[in-house]
Amino acid sequence: MYKPNGHPGDTVIDVGKPSSFTGGLEFSSLTYTVTKKQKIEGKWSSQEVDLLHRITGYAPKGCVTAVMGPSGAGKSTFLDGLAGRIASGSLMGRVSLDGQDMSPSLIKRTSAYIMQDDRLFPMLTVHETLMFAADFRLGPISRADKIQRVEKLIEQLGLASTRNTYIGDEGNRGVSGGERRRVSIGVDIIHGPKLLFLDEPTSGLDSTSAHSVIEKVHDIARSGSTVILTIHQPSSRIQMLLDHLIILARGQLMFQGSPKDVTLHLGRMGRKVPKGENSIEYLIDVIQEYDQSELGVEALADFALTGMKPPPISDEDMSISSVYPTPQLAKGHEDVHRGKGTTAGGKRLPLSTGTGGRRSTNDWDHSLRSPWGTSKSWTPGQSVVMETLRFTPSRQRTDRKMHVPSESPVSYIYSNDILQGTPTPHSSDYTVNEDDYRTPKVGPTSMTHTHLGPKFANSFFTEIWVLMRRNFTNIRRTPELFLSRQMVLTVMGIMMATMFTHPEQNLQGITDRLSFFIFTVCLFFFSSNDAVPAFIQERYIFVRESSHNAYRASSYAISGLVTYLPFLAIQAATYAGIVWFALKLQGPFLYFVLMLYVSLLSTNSFVVFVSSVVPNYILGYAAVIAFTALFFLFCGYFLDSHDIPPYWMWMHKISTMTYPYEGLLMNEYQNHDTFAILATGNVTGVDILGGLHISTVESHKWMHVLILLGWAVLYRVLFYVVLRFASKNQRK
């Protein structure tokens, strides 16, 4: 038995692990607290809210555990907490798998998380999608073994008839919704994870497809995996495939156990399932009744924890809730019963604070030797925890949860001073063994984990090669992405070659040639705008794949760059070949092509970086257009560098239009050829550069290429930083 810090009125836990528990995921006192701002009486105040409140339980190995509850119960939040998808420091509690304490990094390497939305490449077939997943997750095994694994998985998931069908999307016909969901599951279980998390796997599917998906998930569980899924209103056929239930409401545990025990659980609280009704649905209805009453769901949470029968809902309770939803009397307690855990003044309150109108279980001392006050031995799968509560009559209860020092937060699992001895409910047939639930000291000698091998299945260069193959496959299946830009540059090159041919040898001819160069720079910048949706479309795929270490963020960033290098070179060479000879431009042709190529590379890198920062297309295009206007304004065309105010010179330096514009002018005018004949004398190329305050030194034009290349590298590095540290599917 362990009582942290020994404060009077604290809960004393006395539990043990049942001998019938053969392995799986265990979790103790999961608490997730966020700070919200709320306007009360015209003033904003910060309030701490428990989205999850001391949830303790387990998910047995080889079984399908369903997390259920009414809307707003915290199902997805709870699943994210178990899967390590809540930012470090925000979640408190302990999680272990088969008796081994788990950290978020270990969870990533031993689990798979299937999101609610199917994020797959639409122009890959079912077989190709699973083969690429095998390449990422199975490591350096033979190609034949990977193919064999994929073929077996296709058979297990019932996808044999659609193996060569495209995944499809809104604009392209492909597999059905149920088949797409099964492909999503297959992508994440190809490596045989011990843990499988599914967020609403039946969402958006018809009854038959939903049953088929859960049936396949049931088979996966029977193969030895621990499966946990959230599900909303499952059909009776699906309920027969569920082995274990965890029912939540307002972030608190309402029931845990076998679906067969729901009727017994309702009977113990004095509720009889009406004839012909589903017991699980009726329990959720009862939960909502308490939630809408003055009692709140805390009464049912107490019942699930201690076995103390909840007070019945009276007509008066219902009338108070329905007729007076926000009475002045309950102003300080309304949020408490709604699970918000705060008062009107913004002060933190426990979720189980009692109200003055009902007798609290905290007003007397009591000790429960068994959850129901009997000596009957219950089987695993019941919603009970054996807990001894000790209270002193002189001390009013302020919180059911253990005293936790604020100076020692728990990150995901552990603290040295908290949650040791926290119970994990399996059944009421307990054998007390407090060491089974003690959190070990975090340190090199006390935290031991099973060696799981390398963090990533493949080497760095192997990842790049596989990603490049997938990129080229997608480009080949969607050639319009490349051909559209190629067509634009070809048509515009022809138009420029016909409009600016044979410039006159006067000032207007010089102005026309300058206009050609600045338009060329702007054209190449704007032609890269179609890269805005490139990462936005793939963001969720990247997050899903990288969140479980399918590949490195650096591999993704480099492979994307290398994939598009030849296409950018073709585009630059096409435009240069059209305009160079038609306009009889000066200087080396190689430099002209190289500058256009590096210009495309830098602008593409910039646009890709912007697309990784913004949340959607609208903001992406708005940001690119805004920066394009700024770069255009300060590139030196409207005002040369000598005339730009000193406090705006930094904009001239960071403009990625400055260097291609000046570089192309240097290539054209770093000579003494005559470009205009005036009454005052001839105007040579060096005179033109001198008038624009642009260097006439030959080496400086090559320096502009290097600077522009440096900007391209910088934007790609920033893109990698965003991928590595900001593109994580985690709650804060």
Side-chain angles (χ1 to χ4, degrees):
M1 187 181 302
Y2 181 76
K3 184 178 179 180
N5 303 319
H7 289 277
D10 281 344
T11 303
V12 179
I13 306 300
D14 189 2
V15 294
K17 183 185 295 185
S19 59
S20 58
F21 184 68
T22 58
L25 189 72
E26 301 173 77
F27 44 92
S28 301
S29 291
L30 291 187
T31 300
Y32 177 37
T33 304
V34 298
T35 301
K36 292 185 177 181
K37 289 187 177 182
Q38 187 173 356
K39 193 172 185 179
I40 302 176
E41 297 179 353
K43 295 182 179 179
W44 288 96
S45 61
S46 297
Q47 302 175 339
E48 290 187 342
V49 180
D50 279 354
L51 299 186
L52 299 177
H53 182 67
R54 292 197 65 225
I55 300 177
T56 299
Y58 74 111
K61 184 178 181 179
C63 298
V64 177
T65 298
V67 182
M68 300 176 64
S71 298
K75 300 185 292 294
S76 294
T77 304
F78 173 67
L79 198 70
D80 287 346
L82 293 180
R85 291 157 62 89
I86 293 180
S88 177
S90 300
L91 182 70
M92 306 179 74
R94 174 189 175 190
V95 178
S96 62
L97 178 64
D98 297 334
Q100 181 72 48
D101 284 333
M102 301 296 289
S103 66
S105 61
L106 287 176
I107 284 284
K108 281 186 177 183
R109 298 163 68 178
T110 58
S111 69
Y113 191 106
I114 287 83
M115 300 179 183
Q116 186 171 346
D117 298 325
D118 300 316
R119 301 289 182 173
L120 303 168
F121 287 101
M123 298 312 295
L124 295 180
T125 66
V126 170
H127 182 264
E128 289 171 339
T129 300
L130 294 176
M131 277 303 302
F132 279 119
D135 288 335
F136 288 131
R137 307 303 293 270
L138 297 183
I141 65 175
S142 67
R143 186 72 176 173
D145 289 339
K146 291 180 181 178
I147 294 175
Q148 183 179 4
R149 179 78 67 91
V150 169
E151 294 296 341
K152 182 178 179 181
L153 186 60
I154 287 176
E155 291 294 332
Q156 289 176 338
L157 295 174
L159 297 170
S161 61
T162 59
R163 68 185 309 277
N164 295 318
T165 304
Y166 291 143
I167 298 298
D169 56 11
E170 296 81 0
N172 301 279
R173 291 181 61 85
V175 297
S176 66
E179 291 166 339
R180 185 181 296 112
R181 185 61 48 86
R182 278 179 271 162
V183 174
S184 295
I185 295 173
V187 165
D188 283 314
I189 67 171
I190 188 72
H191 62 300
K194 293 182 179 180
L195 268 173
L196 179 60
F197 299 100
L198 301 100
D199 187 15
E200 296 283 356
T202 61
S203 177
L205 302 180
D206 59 80
S207 177
T208 302
S209 298
H211 179 265
S212 176
V213 168
I214 300 301
E215 196 173 35
K216 300 305 178 184
V217 170
H218 185 268
D219 294 338
I220 294 169
R222 289 296 183 266
S223 66
S225 297
T226 301
V227 177
I228 306 175
L229 57 87
T230 61
I231 193 166
H232 187 66
Q233 291 183 334
S235 65
S236 57
R237 291 196 303 165
I238 290 178
Q239 289 183 22
M240 294 175 63
L241 298 173
L242 306 179
D243 305 301
H244 188 70
L245 291 182
I246 296 175
I247 298 181
L248 307 177
R250 300 291 181 185
Q252 301 181 79
L253 183 65
M254 300 288 105
F255 171 84
Q256 178 177 222
S258 169
K260 299 177 182 178
D261 293 330
V262 173
T263 302
L264 182 61
H265 181 79
L266 286 165
R268 291 187 182 121
M269 71 168 65
R271 292 297 191 109
K272 184 178 180 181
V273 181
K275 187 176 181 180
E277 284 201 27
N278 183 280
S279 59
I280 298 176
E281 294 178 357
Y282 183 67
L283 175 57
I284 294 178
D285 289 341
V286 172
I287 293 172
Q288 289 179 318
E289 287 181 14
Y290 274 87
D291 188 27
Q292 294 168 6
S293 72
E294 187 186 25
L295 296 172
V297 297
E298 288 73 23
L300 299 183
D302 289 337
F303 173 63
L305 183 64
T306 68
M308 182 162 292
K309 186 175 179 179
I313 300 177
S314 63
D315 294 338
E316 181 181 356
D317 292 328
M318 294 301 293
S319 63
I320 289 176
S321 174
S322 58
V323 180
Y324 303 102
T326 55
Q328 294 298 321
L329 181 64
K331 197 167 191 176
H333 301 289
E334 181 195 9
D335 284 349
V336 173
H337 291 295
R338 292 296 180 186
K340 297 181 181 178
T342 53
T343 65
K347 188 176 180 180
R348 177 77 179 275
L349 282 179
L351 292 174
S352 53
T353 301
T355 60
R358 60 169 174 161
R359 185 177 67 173
S360 173
T361 59
N362 313 317
D363 296 332
W364 58 83
D365 293 333
H366 64 281
S367 179
L368 300 175
R369 287 181 298 174
S370 69
W372 313 113
T374 68
S375 60
K376 183 176 180 180
S377 178
W378 305 104
T379 57
Q382 293 178 332
S383 59
V384 295
V385 176
M386 191 171 184
E387 180 177 21
T388 303
L389 304 176
R390 295 181 181 176
F391 303 97
T392 58
S394 60
R395 178 181 174 88
Q396 184 180 1
R397 180 184 178 191
T398 58
D399 198 349
R400 248 182 56 234
K401 55 180 167 178
M402 297 179 181
H403 177 76
V404 180
S406 60
E407 65 270 17
S408 56
V410 182
S411 174
Y412 193 67
I413 319 177
Y414 12 96
S415 165
N416 296 338
D417 306 317
I418 180 178
L419 302 177
Q420 301 180 23
T422 304
T424 301
H426 306 297
S427 71
S428 58
D429 184 18
Y430 285 105
T431 301
V432 177
N433 182 5
E434 96 181 43
D435 292 334
D436 288 337
Y437 295 95
R438 297 220 174 200
T439 304
K441 299 288 184 181
V442 180
T445 60
S446 59
M447 281 293 278
T448 58
H449 297 289
T450 304
H451 181 65
L452 298 175
K455 185 175 181 180
F456 297 95
N458 298 298
S459 66
F460 175 70
F461 293 104
T462 301
E463 290 175 356
I464 293 178
W465 172 243
V466 176
L467 286 167
M468 286 178 57
R469 285 197 295 112
R470 188 172 70 175
N471 290 340
F472 278 116
T473 301
N474 280 315
I475 293 174
R476 188 176 72 251
R477 299 276 171 78
T478 55
E480 61 272 12
L481 297 178
F482 165 73
L483 293 179
S484 59
R485 187 188 299 181
Q486 181 71 17
M487 185 62 66
V488 168
L489 291 176
T490 301
V491 172
M492 294 305 300
I494 295 173
M495 294 179 66
M496 299 288 283
T498 55
M499 286 184 62
F500 292 96
T501 186
H502 304 303
E504 297 182 3
Q505 288 190 329
N506 53 28
L507 294 180
Q508 184 60 46
I510 296 175
T511 301
D512 292 344
R513 188 54 56 94
L514 294 178
S515 299
F516 161 76
F517 287 119
I518 191 60
F519 187 86
T520 296
V521 172
C522 290
L523 173 64
F524 272 60
F525 201 105
F526 278 109
S527 68
S528 298
N529 285 3
D530 59 358
V532 170
F535 179 72
I536 295 178
Q537 287 180 334
E538 296 182 14
R539 177 180 294 160
Y540 293 102
I541 299 177
F542 167 79
V543 169
R544 176 176 58 79
E545 293 178 335
S546 63
S547 63
H548 291 284
N549 302 330
Y551 48 77
R552 300 166 178 83
S554 56
S555 302
Y556 180 86
I558 293 176
S559 65
L561 171 63
V562 175
T563 299
Y564 284 96
L565 286 180
F567 297 102
L568 297 180
I570 293 173
Q571 292 162 1
T574 299
Y575 181 86
I578 294 174
V579 301
W580 177 266
F581 300 102
L583 300 181
K584 298 180 180 179
L585 300 178
Q586 304 294 316
F589 174 72
L590 177 62
Y591 180 89
F592 186 78
V593 175
L594 180 61
M595 179 56 79
L596 294 182
Y597 178 55
V598 177
S599 178
L600 270 180
L601 180 60
S602 64
T603 54
N604 180 267
S605 300
F606 170 75
V607 173
V608 169
F609 163 64
V610 171
S611 69
S612 69
V613 176
V614 299
N616 51 57
Y617 301 107
I618 297 175
L619 289 179
Y621 281 117
V624 169
I625 291 173
F627 278 102
T628 300
L630 290 174
F631 291 167
F632 186 27
L633 178 62
F634 290 97
C635 70
Y637 176 73
F638 297 101
L639 289 176
D640 60 50
S641 58
H642 183 76
D643 297 326
I644 295 176
Y647 48 83
W648 285 119
M649 277 301 296
W650 63 275
M651 282 295 301
H652 178 72
K653 298 296 184 182
I654 70 171
S655 171
T656 52
M657 289 188 182
T658 297
Y659 305 100
Y661 175 62
E662 292 186 352
L664 293 177
L665 292 183
M666 290 180 190
N667 193 53
E668 179 72 11
Y669 295 122
Q670 277 185 347
N671 53 60
H672 294 279
D673 295 346
T674 299
F675 289 89
I677 301 175
L678 305 178
T680 56
N682 296 339
V683 179
T684 64
V686 175
D687 295 332
I688 295 174
L689 293 180
L692 296 174
H693 296 92
I694 297 176
S695 175
T696 58
V697 180
E698 174 73 16
S699 61
H700 284 186
K701 73 176 183 180
W702 294 102
M703 183 63 67
H704 277 54
V705 173
L706 295 178
I707 293 175
L708 197 57
L709 187 61
W711 278 112
V713 172
L714 176 62
Y715 287 134
R716 288 288 171 173
V717 170
L718 294 176
F719 175 59
Y720 161 74
V721 171
V722 174
L723 293 182
R724 178 67 177 81
F725 300 104
S727 295
K728 295 182 178 181
N729 195 5
Q730 286 187 329
R731 298 172 185 261
K732 302 300 183 181

